[in-house]
Structure formats: structure tokens, C-alpha cells
Amino acid sequence: MNFSDDFNDWRTYEPLFDLEIPDGSTAEYISDLVESFEKYKSAAMLYASLKPKEDGTYPSFNFIDVIDYYTGKDKHLINKNIQDLFTINILDLNFPGIKKRTNIPKKK
């Protein structure tokens, strides 16, 4: 590993450097903080499940399509087949603070 690799490793966490847990924080505060990190966990799982195309490259997509599909706003979808781009079922993910659709689409 060279300096550049080490530098990039710690920079990944740089946004957390200014995150200080205040003295006297409540369990609710910590729970809300953990929940905010959970949002990124689901996004990471989603991106990791993106299916490559036949040529080995990856398709483009708009994250808002994922959220529109997740919430059931199908009429707003740019890519009506957004679910087909992923190996994971979008509706199996958890995006805290975003209400999941109740009308589950039928598999084709």
C-alpha cells in the first residue's frame, strides 16, 4: 500500500470526523443516527446488486427511479423496468423515513 491508498482509505470516513456525539445524548438520538446510516447501507446493497450488461459495463439509472418504485409512484418512473437492473429486490431493502409501497407489483 502506498501513501495514496492510505490517504484514500481514511478520506472515505472524513464526513464522520466532525460527527461528535454530544454528552448527554439520548437513546433516541443514537437510534436516529444509526437509522440515518442505515439509509446508506441499503443504497450500498442496491448498487452492489446492479447487474452488468453483456459487454461487462453497467447500465445507467437514476436513483430517484428506485425511490419512486419503492414508494409506488410508478407513473413517475423514467425506467419502467428499474427492478430488472438489480439482482436484489428493491422492496426487500429498507430506506428509513421513506414509506414503502403497499401495492406490490406482480412478477412477470
Side-chain angles (χ1 to χ4, degrees), residues 43 46-47 60-83 85-86 90-91 95 98-99 101:
L46 178 77
Y47 280 91
S60 67
F61 74 95
N62 293 309
F63 192 78
I64 191 66
D65 269 351
V66 172
I67 298 304
D68 283 342
Y69 179 81
Y70 186 84
T71 58
K73 296 178 183 167
D74 295 338
K75 66 182 179 181
H76 297 293
L77 292 172
I78 296 166
N79 181 345
K80 302 292 184 195
N81 299 312
I82 190 70
Q83 176 60 69
L85 299 181
F86 304 95
I90 294 170
L91 298 176
F95 294 102
I98 299 178
K99 187 174 181 196
R101 73 188 310 151

Side-chain angles (χ1 to χ4, degrees), residues 3-39:
F3 171 76
S4 178
D5 291 338
D6 187 47
F7 180 71
N8 287 327
D9 287 345
W10 73 262
R11 282 197 47 165
T12 301
Y13 297 97
E14 191 172 9
L16 299 176
F17 292 172
D18 292 329
L19 178 64
E20 182 177 333
I21 305 300
D23 188 37
S25 294
T26 64
E28 181 181 12
Y29 177 87
I30 298 299
S31 177
D32 289 347
L33 185 61
V34 169
E35 185 175 296
S36 71
F37 292 148
E38 182 70 26
K39 293 175 189 176

Side-chain angles (χ1 to χ4, degrees), residues 45-46 49 69-70 83 86-95 100 104-105 107:
M45 291 170 59
L46 178 77
S49 76
Y69 179 81
Y70 186 84
Q83 176 60 69
F86 304 95
T87 60
I88 195 169
N89 184 338
I90 294 170
L91 298 176
D92 288 342
L93 297 171
N94 179 27
F95 294 102
K100 188 185 296 188
I104 310 302
K107 291 188 179 184

